[in-house]
Amino acid sequence: MLRKSRQPPKSPPPPVQRTIDVAGKAMPLTIRQNARATRMTLRIEPGGRALKLTIPAGLPEREINAFLSRHQGWLMTKLARFSGESVLEEGGTILLRGIAHRIERTGKLRGLTEAVIIDDEPVLRVSGADEHLRRRIADFLKKEARKDLEHLVAIYARMVGRKVKSLSLKDTRSRWGSCAADGSLSFSWRIVMAPPKVIDYLAAHEVAHLREMNHGPDFWDLCEELCPAMEDAKRWLKRNGTMLHAIDFD
């Protein structure tokens, strides 16, 4: 009786190299197939400079892309620790209205924190002791957020014919804003790090709730009427919002 010869195990295909966009940054991604893998595993390489994805053999491309899309928020949170945007120290950068500003200490114990242009470069100049740097930056962002939001909310409230009872700033992680039935509006001050169209959208969104306390079709129509760039702003916030929350001001 003839026995079938054993076939040598097939070697796995070579890794696939590609790049994916994470919060506007192109990240190298290595995709490896593993015959023993039963699920996808995504890892960040040391230093946060590259990503590695291990997948079961023969997994369709659409499932890989869907997995990467679902993990955008996770990646932004994890990669924020490696991002210069989250390094709140002299020489690091902080976003203000979507523009990265280099952090520069004035060397003075007293004085205002101010955003200036030095040799065509946006700079945030911060006074005070080094241990107070993060708090002073946060205080500055809160002041700028209030200025922008009070201005926008006043405009939109007139447009919808409603009155605002109060406007408060918080550091909420679950939502960017809220509108109470009595007309009290609340916003996350971190929104001031986003581009102006996103700040504009958030103000329009909460003011629209003064007329439509729901997320039905009439609400979204009103929201887009107030902010024509609504869809672009929503996409930006979905992709980058987690990154803004990941910055540590404590």
Side-chain angles (χ1 to χ4, degrees):
M1 180 177 178
L2 295 176
R3 292 183 178 179
K4 292 182 180 180
S5 60
R6 291 185 178 180
Q7 296 293 329
K10 292 183 179 180
S11 58
V16 175
Q17 304 290 338
R18 57 185 279 194
T19 60
I20 63 170
D21 184 276
V22 181
K25 180 181 179 181
M27 294 290 298
L29 171 68
T30 301
I31 302 176
R32 295 180 182 274
Q33 291 193 32
N34 186 326
R36 293 178 294 179
T38 58
R39 60 186 178 88
M40 286 180 275
T41 304
L42 182 60
R43 290 187 173 88
I44 300 173
E45 298 288 359
R49 297 183 177 88
L51 308 171
K52 182 171 69 174
L53 178 64
T54 302
I55 65 172
L59 197 70
E61 184 76 11
R62 66 178 181 276
E63 292 190 31
I64 297 172
N65 292 335
F67 177 87
L68 292 171
S69 178
R70 290 197 304 272
H71 284 74
Q72 274 279 322
W74 180 84
L75 282 172
M76 286 188 288
T77 300
K78 296 297 183 181
L79 290 171
R81 73 182 67 176
F82 304 110
S83 171
E85 293 173 355
S86 65
V87 180
L88 299 185
E89 60 186 29
E90 180 149 23
T93 57
I94 185 68
L95 290 171
L96 175 62
R97 301 184 180 95
I99 297 175
H101 285 62
R102 178 173 57 81
I103 299 170
E104 178 183 279
R105 294 184 59 220
T106 65
K108 300 178 181 178
L109 291 179
R110 298 184 180 275
L112 297 175
T113 299
E114 56 181 352
V116 298
I117 302 295
I118 301 177
D119 296 330
D120 296 325
E121 179 188 17
V123 176
L124 186 68
R125 304 194 76 232
V126 187
S127 61
D130 185 49
E131 60 267 26
H132 298 149
L133 181 71
R134 291 170 180 261
R135 178 178 59 79
R136 284 182 174 264
I137 293 175
D139 288 345
F140 172 79
L141 294 178
K142 292 173 187 177
K143 182 186 71 174
E144 294 299 301
R146 179 171 293 280
K147 180 170 64 178
D148 287 4
L149 289 167
E150 285 183 344
H151 173 71
L152 292 167
V153 163
I155 293 173
Y156 292 138
R158 286 195 297 269
M159 292 175 67
V160 301
R162 295 290 191 273
K163 290 186 177 181
V164 176
K165 180 181 179 181
S166 64
L167 187 156
S168 62
L169 298 179
K170 299 180 180 180
D171 193 13
T172 53
R173 302 301 175 98
S174 59
R175 59 176 62 184
W176 285 101
S178 64
C179 173
D182 66 355
S184 300
L185 302 185
S186 177
F187 299 93
S188 168
W189 54 265
R190 290 174 183 259
I191 197 65
V192 79
M193 293 185 280
K197 67 180 179 183
V198 182
I199 306 171
D200 189 270
Y201 160 66
L202 183 61
H205 183 114
E206 300 309 332
V207 169
H209 278 312
L210 294 173
R211 183 189 291 179
E212 301 287 341
M213 287 295 289
N214 55 69
H215 285 103
D218 290 343
F219 166 80
W220 290 114
D221 287 345
L222 175 59
C223 197
E224 190 166 22
E225 180 183 336
L226 297 175
C227 178
M230 177 183 77
E231 293 300 333
D232 284 343
K234 286 170 63 178
R235 281 191 291 269
W236 191 97
L237 204 52
K238 183 177 181 180
R239 296 183 63 184
N240 301 285
T242 305
M243 176 186 66
L244 303 186
H245 283 311
I247 299 176
D248 184 10
F249 291 91
D250 295 328

